[in-house]
Amino acid sequence: MPKSTNPLWLAAFVVAGAIDVLFWDKPPGVSFLIWIALAMGAALILSAREGKSPARAALPLGLAVLALAGVLLVRREPVTQVWAGLAALGGLMLWAATLTNGHWLRYNIWNHIAALAVLVYAAITRPFGLHKMQPQQDEAGVQPARRWQEGKAVLRGILLALPLVALLALLLASADLVFAERLDAVLDALRLERLPETLFRLTYVLFFTFIFCGVLLHAVLPRHTIHPAGNGPGVIKPFLGWTETAIVLGSVNALFLFFVALQFQYLFGGQANITAAGFTYAEYARRGFGELVWVAVISLGLILSLETAARRETPARQRGFAMLCALLIVLVLVILASAMQRLVLYEQAYSFTRLRTYTYLFIPWLGLLLLAVLALLLSRQTGRVGLALLVFGLGFGLLLAGWNVDDWIVRRNVERAVSGAELDEQYLVDLSSDALPALIEQVQRADLPAEARLKLGKVLACYQAETALETRPWQSFNLSEWRGRQALAANAGLWSGYKVYWDNHLPYLVKDGVRYDCYRLAFID
């Protein structure tokens, strides 16, 4: 139990109240980084107060969490923000669960799940036990009965002061117009029609205060610690026999071998083989790269599940299991190569969109994870797969942020236009402010075709029209948006000639009597 409950409850209330101040009815931006830093700071301050030192291993995980939280400050592309935000929250939970021991570096998959489950359980249950350690008198030696008397005196004082303050406030408002305006603003914030909203917000702040109290208490003074299991027995006792395991892996390997043979014959063999089979190259490339990625993900899940559930009583069966899994991983890597080849062909024919770019980045990243799992299987270090999955999840969020998805789409699609392909500007209107620096840079290229330059000018005019109406509170400040506004203001002449009009709150442009809509598509594959 903590030395005193008051700092604990205060820290929990500050972290919970910050959720309301930073996020209520506001898009995330710098607010997310502030809240993550505030939550980590509260845990560290309480840890120092209790005389507990954070484990050294908590430092790299904490820095990774802060870096992921900072992604919402520097990027506005939605999937990048969502992945980084979820990865940061998951990393924060793991950081809190292992703050004093640093075991996360040696956890297997089941250890990670158990550590997070214990954290959630502590968040819900441990605050209930705090009343049991309340002393008969507080640190100043004041008895509870005396405190109750002081509380009643404070309440009487408030009731006496209210009518006097109200009367004087009315007189001051009549004497000074500025004061009257400020007073009206305060009273407006307390309007009765806002009472349900106020009560709801107060309720969830108190609820989160309770939850964060349990989280902080577990982070600083854990009652249950999940110790690394390494390569030892997992939570589930192996129950699947060797025969069943070999049949499952052998069947999947046979299926994949047949598929891979076709890939070498048709896709890797060139366009002639595909057209001979009755397909165009574009049709063949268009189908399946997403499905092939899912095949790889499911195969990885199969390997990890069988590694936990399958019995391997003898060294020979252990080696056989490793060889079957290794063959499966090699075949999956070939399948991923096929998916990547299809995606490249599709991009050459139809240009890049967000979904294609996500897949373009995810395939090699997943391939690296599969290679790591293969190395761990062959070295009999499967207990480290949990760490590999953690690095995969956290690292992909940082990869998306560093790559800048929307910037990449602009540059690749404009490059296609320069080489003679048609530029589909609708793919570009749908992008976030992350794309603005690249758009402004590319529209000024000397080798850009005239038609493509007109389309980029239209895209920039649409961005300018939409940006002019956007107002953000400071909590939603985003570097990408700020830089985009600065770039638009400095290069307004690049899209001169377009007049902006509005139809049902949607902007459209008119140039030379032709209307161009600025609508955004919800989904482009």
Side-chain angles (χ1 to χ4, degrees):
M1 284 296 181
K3 298 176 181 177
S4 175
T5 60
N6 291 337
L8 179 65
W9 284 110
L10 177 61
F13 178 76
V14 169
V15 175
I19 293 180
D20 183 76
V21 173
L22 296 173
F23 301 114
W24 178 264
D25 199 26
K26 305 176 189 72
V30 67
S31 55
F32 191 70
L33 178 60
I34 292 175
W35 186 82
I36 291 289
L38 182 64
M40 297 177 71
L44 293 176
I45 291 173
L46 290 174
S47 179
R49 180 181 175 83
E50 295 296 329
K52 302 289 184 178
S53 299
R56 291 184 178 180
L59 178 60
L61 181 58
L63 292 177
V65 169
L66 288 173
L68 287 164
V71 170
L72 278 75
L73 171 62
V74 300
R75 292 282 178 261
R76 196 47 106 182
E77 195 277 317
V79 170
T80 300
Q81 284 200 326
V82 170
W83 190 292
L86 292 177
L89 290 175
L92 180 64
M93 293 178 65
L94 185 61
W95 180 84
T98 60
L99 177 62
T100 58
N101 54 60
H103 288 336
W104 68 273
L105 273 173
R106 295 179 289 129
Y107 275 170
N108 61 23
I109 298 175
W110 292 109
N111 292 151
H112 281 108
I113 295 174
L116 295 180
V118 169
L119 177 69
V120 172
Y121 180 78
I124 298 173
T125 61
R126 290 201 64 180
F128 287 110
L130 291 178
H131 72 281
K132 298 178 181 179
M133 56 86 62
Q134 293 290 344
Q136 294 299 316
Q137 60 184 23
D138 63 13
E139 296 176 354
V142 180
Q143 297 294 330
R146 182 179 172 185
R147 280 209 169 275
W148 172 241
Q149 294 298 326
E150 292 178 351
K152 290 194 294 182
V154 170
L155 180 60
R156 287 194 300 268
I158 292 174
L159 294 176
L160 290 172
L162 279 176
L164 180 61
V165 170
L167 175 62
L168 294 175
L170 290 175
L171 293 174
L172 292 173
S174 300
D176 188 285
L177 294 178
V178 175
F179 180 81
E181 182 180 343
R182 298 294 187 270
L183 183 62
D184 287 340
V186 173
L187 295 176
D188 182 66
L190 299 176
R191 287 183 305 178
L192 291 179
E193 57 265 29
R194 294 187 178 181
L195 183 59
E197 176 187 313
T198 302
L199 291 177
F200 172 76
R201 294 170 69 175
L202 178 62
T203 300
Y204 79 67
V205 166
L206 294 178
F207 170 78
F208 280 121
T209 299
F210 181 89
I211 294 298
F212 290 139
C213 181
V215 171
L216 291 172
L217 186 57
H218 179 74
V220 177
L221 298 170
R223 184 177 294 169
H224 302 287
T225 299
I226 303 299
H227 296 282
N231 291 318
V235 176
I236 299 176
K237 183 179 179 180
F239 60 89
L240 193 64
W242 166 248
T243 301
E244 296 91 329
T245 302
I247 291 175
V248 171
L249 289 174
S251 300
V252 175
N253 279 327
L255 176 64
F256 285 1
L257 278 170
F258 177 70
F259 182 84
V260 166
L262 290 178
Q263 301 310 293
F264 278 102
Q265 178 181 355
Y266 288 105
L267 187 60
F268 298 144
Q271 185 172 357
N273 290 330
I274 295 175
T275 54
F279 302 103
T280 66
Y281 212 38
E283 288 173 339
Y284 198 83
R286 169 66 179 85
R287 295 177 60 86
F289 57 80
E291 290 84 348
L292 295 182
V293 173
W294 274 111
V295 166
V297 172
I298 293 172
S299 300
L300 177 61
L302 173 66
I303 291 173
L304 297 180
S305 299
L306 290 178
E307 201 281 329
T308 300
R311 297 197 303 267
R312 286 102 61 194
E313 297 90 349
T314 64
R317 290 180 176 180
Q318 179 65 42
R319 288 193 299 271
F321 177 80
M323 292 177 62
L324 287 171
C325 288
L327 175 60
L328 180 58
I329 290 176
V330 171
L331 293 174
V332 169
L333 288 172
V334 176
I335 291 174
L336 282 179
S338 172
M340 194 68 173
Q341 176 74 353
R342 291 168 186 257
L343 183 59
V344 170
L345 293 173
Y346 192 39
E347 178 269 331
Q348 292 174 354
Y350 300 107
S351 73
F352 262 107
T353 63
R354 277 177 172 167
L355 181 59
R356 296 167 205 167
T357 306
Y358 304 147
T359 312
Y360 184 86
L361 296 175
F362 189 75
I363 288 175
W365 195 251
L366 180 59
L368 290 176
L369 175 62
L370 288 168
L371 287 174
V373 173
L374 176 60
L376 293 173
L377 278 171
L378 296 178
S379 62
R380 298 186 180 183
Q381 295 292 320
T382 53
R384 310 288 288 179
V385 172
L387 178 61
L389 290 173
L390 178 65
V391 172
F392 172 81
L394 299 180
F396 190 65
L398 296 176
L399 174 63
L400 287 174
W403 195 271
N404 194 344
V405 171
D406 288 351
D407 181 282
W408 165 265
I409 293 172
V410 170
R411 297 182 185 278
R412 291 302 297 264
N413 290 357
V414 171
E415 202 61 46
R416 289 181 70 256
V418 171
S419 63
E422 182 181 358
L423 177 65
D424 192 338
E425 72 274 21
Q426 187 56 56
Y427 290 167
L428 307 182
V429 175
D430 193 52
L431 304 180
S432 70
S433 56
D434 295 351
L436 283 173
L439 282 169
I440 292 174
E441 176 187 330
Q442 296 298 310
V443 77
Q444 300 179 75
R445 288 181 57 161
D447 57 348
L448 187 67
E451 182 181 357
R453 195 181 310 278
L454 288 174
K455 290 181 176 180
L456 290 183
K458 168 199 164 182
V459 171
L460 287 169
C462 287
Y463 272 104
Q464 176 63 40
E466 295 176 345
T467 304
L469 293 181
E470 292 179 348
T471 57
R472 305 280 196 188
W474 68 265
Q475 295 93 331
S476 301
F477 175 79
N478 179 272
L479 281 173
S480 173
E481 287 185 343
W482 180 78
R483 290 170 179 167
R485 289 176 183 272
Q486 299 296 315
L488 287 172
N491 296 275
L494 295 176
W495 55 90
S496 60
Y498 289 99
K499 292 185 178 181
V500 180
Y501 298 91
W502 295 87
D503 184 7
N504 292 327
H505 306 289
L506 295 176
Y508 68 91
L509 311 174
V510 175
K511 183 176 182 180
D512 300 329
V514 180
R515 170 171 171 161
Y516 302 93
D517 290 309
C518 295
Y519 63 87
R520 294 174 178 266
L521 299 182
F523 178 83
I524 307 177
D525 64 356

Short mmCIF file of all heavy atoms in Angstrom, two decimals, residues 301-349:
data_model
loop_
_atom_site.label_atom_id
_atom_site.label_comp_id
_atom_site.label_asym_id
_atom_site.label_seq_id
_atom_site.Cartn_x
_atom_site.Cartn_y
_atom_site.Cartn_z
N GLY A 301 -0.18 -16.92 -37.62
CA GLY A 301 -1.01 -17.30 -36.48
C GLY A 301 -1.06 -18.81 -36.28
O GLY A 301 -1.05 -19.30 -35.14
N LEU A 302 -1.09 -19.57 -37.38
CA LEU A 302 -1.09 -21.03 -37.29
C LEU A 302 0.20 -21.54 -36.65
O LEU A 302 0.16 -22.41 -35.76
CB LEU A 302 -1.26 -21.62 -38.70
CG LEU A 302 -1.13 -23.14 -38.81
CD1 LEU A 302 -2.26 -23.83 -38.06
CD2 LEU A 302 -1.10 -23.57 -40.28
N ILE A 303 1.32 -21.00 -37.07
CA ILE A 303 2.61 -21.44 -36.52
C ILE A 303 2.67 -21.16 -35.02
O ILE A 303 3.07 -22.02 -34.22
CB ILE A 303 3.76 -20.75 -37.26
CG1 ILE A 303 3.86 -21.26 -38.70
CG2 ILE A 303 5.09 -20.97 -36.54
CD1 ILE A 303 4.85 -20.52 -39.55
N LEU A 304 2.28 -19.95 -34.63
CA LEU A 304 2.35 -19.58 -33.21
C LEU A 304 1.37 -20.41 -32.38
O LEU A 304 1.66 -20.78 -31.23
CB LEU A 304 2.05 -18.09 -33.05
CG LEU A 304 3.06 -17.15 -33.73
CD1 LEU A 304 2.66 -15.70 -33.52
CD2 LEU A 304 4.47 -17.39 -33.21
N SER A 305 0.20 -20.72 -32.95
CA SER A 305 -0.79 -21.53 -32.22
C SER A 305 -0.29 -22.96 -32.03
O SER A 305 -0.39 -23.54 -30.93
CB SER A 305 -2.12 -21.53 -32.97
OG SER A 305 -2.64 -20.23 -33.08
N LEU A 306 0.24 -23.54 -33.11
CA LEU A 306 0.74 -24.91 -33.00
C LEU A 306 1.97 -24.99 -32.11
O LEU A 306 2.17 -25.99 -31.42
CB LEU A 306 1.08 -25.45 -34.40
CG LEU A 306 -0.13 -25.72 -35.32
CD1 LEU A 306 0.34 -26.19 -36.68
CD2 LEU A 306 -1.07 -26.75 -34.68
N GLU A 307 2.78 -23.95 -32.11
CA GLU A 307 3.96 -23.94 -31.24
C GLU A 307 3.54 -24.04 -29.78
O GLU A 307 4.25 -24.63 -28.95
CB GLU A 307 4.76 -22.66 -31.48
CG GLU A 307 6.21 -22.71 -31.05
CD GLU A 307 6.37 -22.52 -29.55
OE1 GLU A 307 5.54 -21.80 -28.96
OE2 GLU A 307 7.31 -23.10 -28.98
N THR A 308 2.36 -23.50 -29.45
CA THR A 308 1.85 -23.55 -28.08
C THR A 308 1.10 -24.84 -27.81
O THR A 308 1.23 -25.44 -26.74
CB THR A 308 0.92 -22.35 -27.82
OG1 THR A 308 1.65 -21.15 -28.01
CG2 THR A 308 0.36 -22.38 -26.40
N ALA A 309 0.30 -25.29 -28.78
CA ALA A 309 -0.63 -26.38 -28.52
C ALA A 309 -0.09 -27.76 -28.85
O ALA A 309 -0.62 -28.76 -28.36
CB ALA A 309 -1.92 -26.14 -29.31
N ALA A 310 0.94 -27.84 -29.71
CA ALA A 310 1.39 -29.16 -30.19
C ALA A 310 2.38 -29.80 -29.23
O ALA A 310 3.28 -29.13 -28.71
CB ALA A 310 2.02 -29.02 -31.57
N ARG A 311 2.23 -31.09 -29.03
CA ARG A 311 3.17 -31.86 -28.21
C ARG A 311 4.33 -32.33 -29.07
O ARG A 311 4.13 -32.87 -30.16
CB ARG A 311 2.48 -33.07 -27.56
CG ARG A 311 1.37 -32.72 -26.61
CD ARG A 311 1.03 -33.91 -25.72
NE ARG A 311 0.67 -35.07 -26.50
CZ ARG A 311 -0.58 -35.39 -26.84
NH1 ARG A 311 -1.58 -34.60 -26.46
NH2 ARG A 311 -0.82 -36.48 -27.56
N ARG A 312 5.55 -32.14 -28.56
CA ARG A 312 6.76 -32.65 -29.22
C ARG A 312 7.60 -33.35 -28.16
O ARG A 312 8.51 -32.75 -27.58
CB ARG A 312 7.56 -31.52 -29.87
CG ARG A 312 6.95 -30.96 -31.14
CD ARG A 312 6.23 -29.67 -30.97
NE ARG A 312 7.07 -28.58 -30.50
CZ ARG A 312 6.56 -27.45 -30.02
NH1 ARG A 312 5.26 -27.29 -29.93
NH2 ARG A 312 7.35 -26.49 -29.61
N GLU A 313 7.28 -34.63 -27.92
CA GLU A 313 7.88 -35.32 -26.77
C GLU A 313 9.33 -35.70 -26.98
O GLU A 313 10.09 -35.83 -26.01
CB GLU A 313 7.08 -36.58 -26.44
CG GLU A 313 5.64 -36.33 -26.02
CD GLU A 313 4.69 -36.31 -27.21
OE1 GLU A 313 5.20 -36.29 -28.36
OE2 GLU A 313 3.47 -36.34 -27.00
N THR A 314 9.75 -35.85 -28.22
CA THR A 314 11.11 -36.32 -28.49
C THR A 314 11.88 -35.28 -29.29
O THR A 314 11.28 -34.44 -29.97
CB THR A 314 11.08 -37.64 -29.28
OG1 THR A 314 10.49 -37.39 -30.57
CG2 THR A 314 10.25 -38.69 -28.53
N PRO A 315 13.21 -35.32 -29.24
CA PRO A 315 14.01 -34.39 -30.06
C PRO A 315 13.71 -34.51 -31.55
O PRO A 315 13.74 -33.52 -32.28
CB PRO A 315 15.45 -34.78 -29.73
CG PRO A 315 15.38 -35.41 -28.38
CD PRO A 315 14.06 -36.12 -28.33
N ALA A 316 13.43 -35.74 -32.01
CA ALA A 316 13.16 -35.93 -33.44
C ALA A 316 11.88 -35.19 -33.84
O ALA A 316 11.81 -34.56 -34.91
CB ALA A 316 13.03 -37.42 -33.75
N ARG A 317 10.86 -35.26 -33.00
CA ARG A 317 9.61 -34.56 -33.31
C ARG A 317 9.79 -33.05 -33.20
O ARG A 317 9.17 -32.29 -33.95
CB ARG A 317 8.50 -35.04 -32.37
CG ARG A 317 8.08 -36.48 -32.65
CD ARG A 317 6.97 -36.95 -31.73
NE ARG A 317 6.52 -38.29 -32.09
CZ ARG A 317 5.56 -38.96 -31.45
NH1 ARG A 317 4.96 -38.40 -30.39
NH2 ARG A 317 5.21 -40.15 -31.86
N GLN A 318 10.62 -32.63 -32.28
CA GLN A 318 10.90 -31.20 -32.18
C GLN A 318 11.57 -30.70 -33.45
O GLN A 318 11.23 -29.63 -33.98
CB GLN A 318 11.79 -30.94 -30.95
CG GLN A 318 12.18 -29.50 -30.75
CD GLN A 318 10.99 -28.61 -30.44
OE1 GLN A 318 10.12 -29.00 -29.68
NE2 GLN A 318 10.95 -27.41 -31.02
N ARG A 319 12.54 -31.48 -33.95
CA ARG A 319 13.21 -31.09 -35.19
C ARG A 319 12.24 -31.14 -36.38
O ARG A 319 12.27 -30.28 -37.26
CB ARG A 319 14.41 -32.01 -35.45
CG ARG A 319 15.58 -31.78 -34.52
CD ARG A 319 16.83 -32.49 -35.02
NE ARG A 319 16.63 -33.94 -35.10
CZ ARG A 319 16.87 -34.78 -34.10
NH1 ARG A 319 17.34 -34.32 -32.94
NH2 ARG A 319 16.69 -36.08 -34.26
N GLY A 320 11.38 -32.15 -36.40
CA GLY A 320 10.41 -32.25 -37.48
C GLY A 320 9.44 -31.07 -37.48
O GLY A 320 9.10 -30.53 -38.55
N PHE A 321 8.99 -30.68 -36.30
CA PHE A 321 8.10 -29.52 -36.20
C PHE A 321 8.79 -28.26 -36.69
O PHE A 321 8.21 -27.47 -37.45
CB PHE A 321 7.65 -29.35 -34.74
CG PHE A 321 6.80 -28.15 -34.50
CD1 PHE A 321 5.45 -28.17 -34.80
CD2 PHE A 321 7.35 -26.98 -33.99
CE1 PHE A 321 4.65 -27.05 -34.58
CE2 PHE A 321 6.57 -25.86 -33.76
CZ PHE A 321 5.21 -25.89 -34.07
N ALA A 322 10.05 -28.08 -36.29
CA ALA A 322 10.79 -26.89 -36.71
C ALA A 322 10.98 -26.87 -38.22
O ALA A 322 10.86 -25.82 -38.87
CB ALA A 322 12.13 -26.83 -36.00
N MET A 323 11.26 -28.04 -38.83
CA MET A 323 11.47 -28.10 -40.26
C MET A 323 10.18 -27.81 -41.03
O MET A 323 10.19 -27.09 -42.04
CB MET A 323 12.03 -29.47 -40.65
CG MET A 323 13.44 -29.74 -40.15
SD MET A 323 14.03 -31.40 -40.58
CE MET A 323 13.99 -31.32 -42.37
N LEU A 324 9.06 -28.36 -40.56
CA LEU A 324 7.78 -28.09 -41.22
C LEU A 324 7.40 -26.61 -41.13
O LEU A 324 6.93 -26.01 -42.10
CB LEU A 324 6.68 -28.96 -40.61
CG LEU A 324 6.71 -30.46 -40.97
CD1 LEU A 324 5.70 -31.22 -40.14
CD2 LEU A 324 6.43 -30.65 -42.46
N CYS A 325 7.63 -26.03 -39.95
CA CYS A 325 7.34 -24.59 -39.77
C CYS A 325 8.28 -23.75 -40.63
O CYS A 325 7.86 -22.73 -41.21
CB CYS A 325 7.46 -24.21 -38.31
SG CYS A 325 6.12 -24.84 -37.26
N ALA A 326 9.54 -24.15 -40.69
CA ALA A 326 10.50 -23.39 -41.51
C ALA A 326 10.11 -23.43 -42.98
O ALA A 326 10.17 -22.41 -43.68
CB ALA A 326 11.91 -23.95 -41.31
N LEU A 327 9.69 -24.61 -43.46
CA LEU A 327 9.25 -24.71 -44.86
C LEU A 327 8.02 -23.84 -45.09
O LEU A 327 7.92 -23.16 -46.13
CB LEU A 327 8.93 -26.17 -45.19
CG LEU A 327 8.34 -26.43 -46.58
CD1 LEU A 327 9.31 -25.96 -47.67
CD2 LEU A 327 7.98 -27.91 -46.75
N LEU A 328 7.10 -23.84 -44.14
CA LEU A 328 5.90 -23.01 -44.27
C LEU A 328 6.26 -21.54 -44.34
O LEU A 328 5.71 -20.79 -45.17
CB LEU A 328 4.96 -23.27 -43.08
CG LEU A 328 3.65 -22.49 -43.07
CD1 LEU A 328 2.84 -22.75 -44.32
CD2 LEU A 328 2.84 -22.83 -41.82
N ILE A 329 7.21 -21.09 -43.51
CA ILE A 329 7.61 -19.69 -43.52
C ILE A 329 8.27 -19.33 -44.85
O ILE A 329 8.01 -18.27 -45.43
CB ILE A 329 8.54 -19.39 -42.34
CG1 ILE A 329 7.75 -19.46 -41.02
CG2 ILE A 329 9.19 -18.01 -42.50
CD1 ILE A 329 8.60 -19.26 -39.79
N VAL A 330 9.11 -20.22 -45.37
CA VAL A 330 9.77 -19.96 -46.66
C VAL A 330 8.73 -19.83 -47.77
O VAL A 330 8.79 -18.92 -48.62
CB VAL A 330 10.77 -21.08 -46.98
CG1 VAL A 330 11.28 -20.94 -48.42
CG2 VAL A 330 11.94 -21.04 -46.01
N LEU A 331 7.74 -20.71 -47.78
CA LEU A 331 6.69 -20.63 -48.80
C LEU A 331 5.86 -19.36 -48.64
O LEU A 331 5.47 -18.74 -49.64
CB LEU A 331 5.79 -21.87 -48.70
CG LEU A 331 6.45 -23.21 -49.06
CD1 LEU A 331 5.50 -24.37 -48.79
CD2 LEU A 331 6.89 -23.21 -50.52
N VAL A 332 5.60 -18.98 -47.39
CA VAL A 332 4.84 -17.74 -47.17
C VAL A 332 5.64 -16.53 -47.65
O VAL A 332 5.06 -15.58 -48.21
CB VAL A 332 4.47 -17.60 -45.67
CG1 VAL A 332 3.92 -16.21 -45.38
CG2 VAL A 332 3.44 -18.65 -45.28
N LEU A 333 6.95 -16.57 -47.47
CA LEU A 333 7.77 -15.47 -47.97
C LEU A 333 7.69 -15.37 -49.50
O LEU A 333 7.66 -14.27 -50.06
CB LEU A 333 9.22 -15.66 -47.52
CG LEU A 333 9.50 -15.42 -46.04
CD1 LEU A 333 10.93 -15.83 -45.69
CD2 LEU A 333 9.27 -13.96 -45.66
N VAL A 334 7.65 -16.51 -50.17
CA VAL A 334 7.48 -16.49 -51.63
C VAL A 334 6.11 -15.93 -51.99
O VAL A 334 5.96 -15.16 -52.95
CB VAL A 334 7.67 -17.91 -52.21
CG1 VAL A 334 7.41 -17.90 -53.72
CG2 VAL A 334 9.07 -18.42 -51.92
N ILE A 335 5.08 -16.31 -51.23
CA ILE A 335 3.73 -15.78 -51.47
C ILE A 335 3.71 -14.27 -51.28
O ILE A 335 3.08 -13.53 -52.04
CB ILE A 335 2.72 -16.49 -50.56
CG1 ILE A 335 2.55 -17.95 -50.99
CG2 ILE A 335 1.38 -15.77 -50.57
CD1 ILE A 335 1.68 -18.76 -50.06
N LEU A 336 4.41 -13.79 -50.24
CA LEU A 336 4.50 -12.34 -50.04
C LEU A 336 5.21 -11.66 -51.20
O LEU A 336 4.84 -10.56 -51.61
CB LEU A 336 5.23 -12.04 -48.73
CG LEU A 336 4.42 -12.21 -47.44
CD1 LEU A 336 5.30 -11.91 -46.23
CD2 LEU A 336 3.20 -11.32 -47.43
N ALA A 337 6.24 -12.31 -51.72
CA ALA A 337 6.92 -11.75 -52.89
C ALA A 337 5.97 -11.66 -54.07
O ALA A 337 5.99 -10.70 -54.84
CB ALA A 337 8.15 -12.59 -53.24
N SER A 338 5.11 -12.68 -54.21
CA SER A 338 4.11 -12.65 -55.28
C SER A 338 3.13 -11.49 -55.06
O SER A 338 2.77 -10.79 -56.01
CB SER A 338 3.35 -13.98 -55.31
OG SER A 338 2.25 -13.91 -56.20
N ALA A 339 2.71 -11.30 -53.82
CA ALA A 339 1.79 -10.19 -53.52
C ALA A 339 2.45 -8.85 -53.82
O ALA A 339 1.81 -7.94 -54.36
CB ALA A 339 1.36 -10.26 -52.06
N MET A 340 3.73 -8.74 -53.48
CA MET A 340 4.45 -7.50 -53.76
C MET A 340 4.56 -7.26 -55.26
O MET A 340 4.40 -6.12 -55.74
CB MET A 340 5.85 -7.56 -53.13
CG MET A 340 6.56 -6.22 -53.07
SD MET A 340 5.74 -5.10 -51.90
CE MET A 340 6.90 -3.73 -51.90
N GLN A 341 4.84 -8.31 -56.02
CA GLN A 341 4.94 -8.19 -57.46
C GLN A 341 3.61 -7.76 -58.07
O GLN A 341 3.55 -6.90 -58.95
CB GLN A 341 5.40 -9.52 -58.05
CG GLN A 341 5.45 -9.56 -59.58
CD GLN A 341 6.62 -8.78 -60.15
OE1 GLN A 341 7.33 -8.10 -59.41
NE2 GLN A 341 6.80 -8.86 -61.46
N ARG A 342 2.52 -8.34 -57.60
CA ARG A 342 1.20 -7.95 -58.09
C ARG A 342 0.94 -6.47 -57.79
O ARG A 342 0.39 -5.75 -58.62
CB ARG A 342 0.13 -8.81 -57.42
CG ARG A 342 0.11 -10.25 -57.82
CD ARG A 342 -0.79 -11.05 -56.89
NE ARG A 342 -0.74 -12.48 -57.18
CZ ARG A 342 -1.68 -13.14 -57.84
NH1 ARG A 342 -2.74 -12.51 -58.30
NH2 ARG A 342 -1.57 -14.44 -58.05
N LEU A 343 1.31 -6.05 -56.58
CA LEU A 343 1.06 -4.67 -56.19
C LEU A 343 1.85 -3.70 -57.06
O LEU A 343 1.33 -2.64 -57.47
CB LEU A 343 1.41 -4.48 -54.71
CG LEU A 343 1.15 -3.10 -54.11
CD1 LEU A 343 -0.32 -2.74 -54.23
CD2 LEU A 343 1.57 -3.06 -52.66
N VAL A 344 3.10 -4.02 -57.34
CA VAL A 344 3.93 -3.16 -58.19
C VAL A 344 3.33 -3.05 -59.59
O VAL A 344 3.25 -1.97 -60.19
CB VAL A 344 5.38 -3.66 -58.23
CG1 VAL A 344 6.17 -2.92 -59.29
CG2 VAL A 344 6.04 -3.52 -56.86
N LEU A 345 2.88 -4.19 -60.12
CA LEU A 345 2.26 -4.18 -61.44
C LEU A 345 0.97 -3.35 -61.44
O LEU A 345 0.70 -2.60 -62.39
CB LEU A 345 1.94 -5.61 -61.88
CG LEU A 345 3.15 -6.52 -62.15
CD1 LEU A 345 2.69 -7.95 -62.42
CD2 LEU A 345 3.96 -6.00 -63.33
N TYR A 346 0.20 -3.50 -60.40
CA TYR A 346 -1.06 -2.75 -60.30
C TYR A 346 -0.80 -1.25 -60.19
O TYR A 346 -1.49 -0.42 -60.79
CB TYR A 346 -1.84 -3.26 -59.09
CG TYR A 346 -3.27 -2.78 -59.04
CD1 TYR A 346 -4.03 -2.67 -60.20
CD2 TYR A 346 -3.86 -2.45 -57.83
CE1 TYR A 346 -5.35 -2.25 -60.15
CE2 TYR A 346 -5.18 -2.01 -57.77
CZ TYR A 346 -5.91 -1.92 -58.94
OH TYR A 346 -7.22 -1.49 -58.90
N GLU A 347 0.23 -0.90 -59.42
CA GLU A 347 0.59 0.52 -59.28
C GLU A 347 1.05 1.09 -60.60
O GLU A 347 0.72 2.24 -60.95
CB GLU A 347 1.68 0.66 -58.22
CG GLU A 347 2.19 2.08 -58.01
CD GLU A 347 3.37 2.41 -58.90
OE1 GLU A 347 4.12 1.48 -59.25
OE2 GLU A 347 3.53 3.59 -59.26
N GLN A 348 1.79 0.31 -61.37
CA GLN A 348 2.24 0.79 -62.67
C GLN A 348 1.07 1.04 -63.62
O GLN A 348 1.12 1.93 -64.46
CB GLN A 348 3.22 -0.21 -63.28
CG GLN A 348 4.54 -0.31 -62.54
CD GLN A 348 5.43 -1.42 -63.07
OE1 GLN A 348 5.02 -2.21 -63.93
NE2 GLN A 348 6.66 -1.48 -62.56
N ALA A 349 0.01 0.27 -63.45
CA ALA A 349 -1.14 0.41 -64.34
C ALA A 349 -2.13 1.47 -63.85
O ALA A 349 -2.75 2.17 -64.65
CB ALA A 349 -1.86 -0.93 -64.48
#
